Amino acid sequence: MSGSATLGFVGIGNMGVPMAAHLLAAGYDLIVYDVRPEVAQAFVDGHGGRRADSLADLAESASIIITMLPNSDIVEQVVFGGGGGSKDRLIDALTPGKTIIDMSSSAPTRTVALGAKLADLGIELVDAPVSGGVKRAEDGTLTIMAGGRPEAVARCRPVLEAIGERIFETGALGSGHAMKALNNMVSAAGLIAAAEALLIGRRFGLEPDVMIDVLNASTGRNNSTEKKFRQFVLSRSFASGFSLDLMLKDLTTAVKLGHDTDTPAPLSSLCRELWAAADSQLGEGADHTAVVRWLEALAEVSLEALPNSDEGQASEAS
């Protein structure tokens, strides 16, 4: 597939903007759509491409359509309509031979069902969720987990390579979404574990910045200690760009996958309940790193730098 192919991109959000921008930089003809027309137009004004007037307009123009949306419900509404939303839908202009790449964090079993419905119409579905957050989306270094027929994944690989640094072929359709949910389960557990350790240490008298240094030089390090605590927790910005609501959705997907496969997963289930409790307290729109704020409230201790301490300066310099 050459960079001259016309691609459609549905979902111009925090992740969608840099991902779509990389497709333009790779030379693809790009048509974009967002439920907020002004957002899609702002992308076109700033980066190029063309704004679709409707989903059907996008489907008619593009041979490959990428969806980057919050969940399976919205993906299904975009493709087939329903759900009380707009009557506009992709399927009205999709023709046999076209491909949809769902890069959303969708539910694996629903992806399989959606793929079967599309296959009956001669349309291919590949699931290719991403990991890495906004920063790596901007850098074009996302990790991508691609599931689907090998021939379909191979056909989509040049598109994926324009967005991500590492593409893993995970197996049959739905396997990419399964892997994404399981990855986020491990990530969420690591964040909670690190936060609890820092809160215990703070109560004992250890400084958070010192603990982060030690963890990152030792066996306790994980993605959260390396990429989140100084950047978003100790800085008190809580602005990683990935919401707590979406993390909870992924954890719910992972736990359900455990149930569906008859796999005991007591730690994962407990982890999901902790995140659900935080979500109920922090409210809609909270960043996922704000779960630490909830844990701070439980412990009645803060990881914020003490007045007149050097901790804040150390965090700023990192």
Side-chain angles (χ1 to χ4, degrees):
M1 179 184 305
S2 70
S4 62
T6 298
L7 306 180
F9 201 105
V10 182
I12 307 298
N14 289 337
M15 293 289 288
V17 167
M19 291 166 67
H22 280 294
L23 294 172
L24 282 170
Y28 287 104
D29 179 31
L30 188 69
I31 178 170
V32 299
Y33 176 89
D34 194 273
V35 70
R36 302 157 299 175
E38 69 278 7
V39 170
Q41 188 60 51
F43 175 86
V44 171
D45 292 342
H47 298 276
R50 177 168 75 86
R51 179 177 69 84
D53 294 326
S54 65
L55 289 169
D57 174 29
L58 183 143
E60 185 174 7
S61 300
S63 57
I64 293 181
I65 297 164
I66 295 169
T67 53
M68 189 64 182
L69 300 165
N71 54 50
S72 292
D73 285 342
I74 297 175
V75 172
E76 291 167 10
Q77 288 172 22
V78 161
V79 177
F80 283 111
S86 167
K87 293 182 179 179
D88 183 30
R89 54 186 191 166
L90 292 175
I91 200 64
D92 288 332
L94 283 174
T95 53
K98 294 194 175 187
T99 300
I100 296 174
I101 308 175
D102 183 19
M103 304 192 80
S104 319
S105 294
S106 299
T109 53
R110 292 177 67 172
T111 297
V112 172
L114 178 62
K117 290 176 68 175
L118 289 169
D120 287 342
L121 301 171
I123 299 158
E124 194 85 51
L125 178 64
V126 169
D127 60 312
V130 304
S131 179
V134 173
K135 177 65 167 62
R136 285 177 59 191
E138 292 171 346
D139 294 343
T141 60
L142 291 168
T143 295
I144 300 175
M145 297 144 269
R149 288 194 316 112
E151 299 85 352
V153 174
R155 191 164 62 248
C156 295
R157 180 173 275 274
V159 174
L160 302 179
E161 288 175 342
I163 296 171
E165 183 175 50
R166 301 189 70 186
I167 292 90
F168 292 91
E169 296 188 26
T170 51
L173 184 65
S175 63
H177 285 146
M179 188 67 246
K180 170 63 185 292
L182 296 172
N183 173 77
N184 275 8
M185 176 60 76
V186 175
S187 177
L191 195 159
I192 290 273
E196 289 187 353
L198 263 62
L199 290 167
I200 293 168
R202 179 120 229 209
R203 274 194 173 276
F204 184 76
L206 290 163
E207 293 297 339
D209 67 315
V210 173
M211 287 187 280
I212 288 295
D213 283 342
V214 173
L215 288 170
N216 285 338
S218 306
T219 58
R221 72 182 181 276
N222 62 35
N223 177 264
S224 292
T225 64
E226 292 183 331
K227 305 292 186 183
K228 298 178 184 179
F229 272 88
R230 269 211 171 84
Q231 297 86 336
F232 307 118
V233 177
L234 302 189
S235 72
R236 314 310 286 175
S237 70
F238 300 102
S240 73
F242 183 66
S243 75
L244 200 158
D245 291 339
L246 290 178
M247 179 64 89
L248 178 58
K249 174 186 68 70
D250 288 347
L251 302 186
T252 302
T253 296
V255 170
K256 183 177 186 304
L257 191 60
H259 292 160
D260 291 344
T261 56
D262 294 323
T263 308
L267 178 59
S268 297
S269 297
L270 177 58
C271 181
R272 188 258 169 212
E273 292 309 310
L274 290 170
W275 282 85
D279 186 57
S280 69
Q281 292 297 311
L282 295 171
E284 186 177 355
D287 190 82
H288 82 284
T289 57
V291 70
V292 181
R293 276 185 165 157
W294 177 74
L295 291 168
E296 289 175 333
L298 289 181
E300 297 183 341
V301 63
S302 173
L303 297 177
E304 187 172 6
L306 296 173
N308 302 319
S309 79
D310 294 331
E311 180 182 321
Q313 296 177 6
S315 295
E316 292 277 340
S318 301

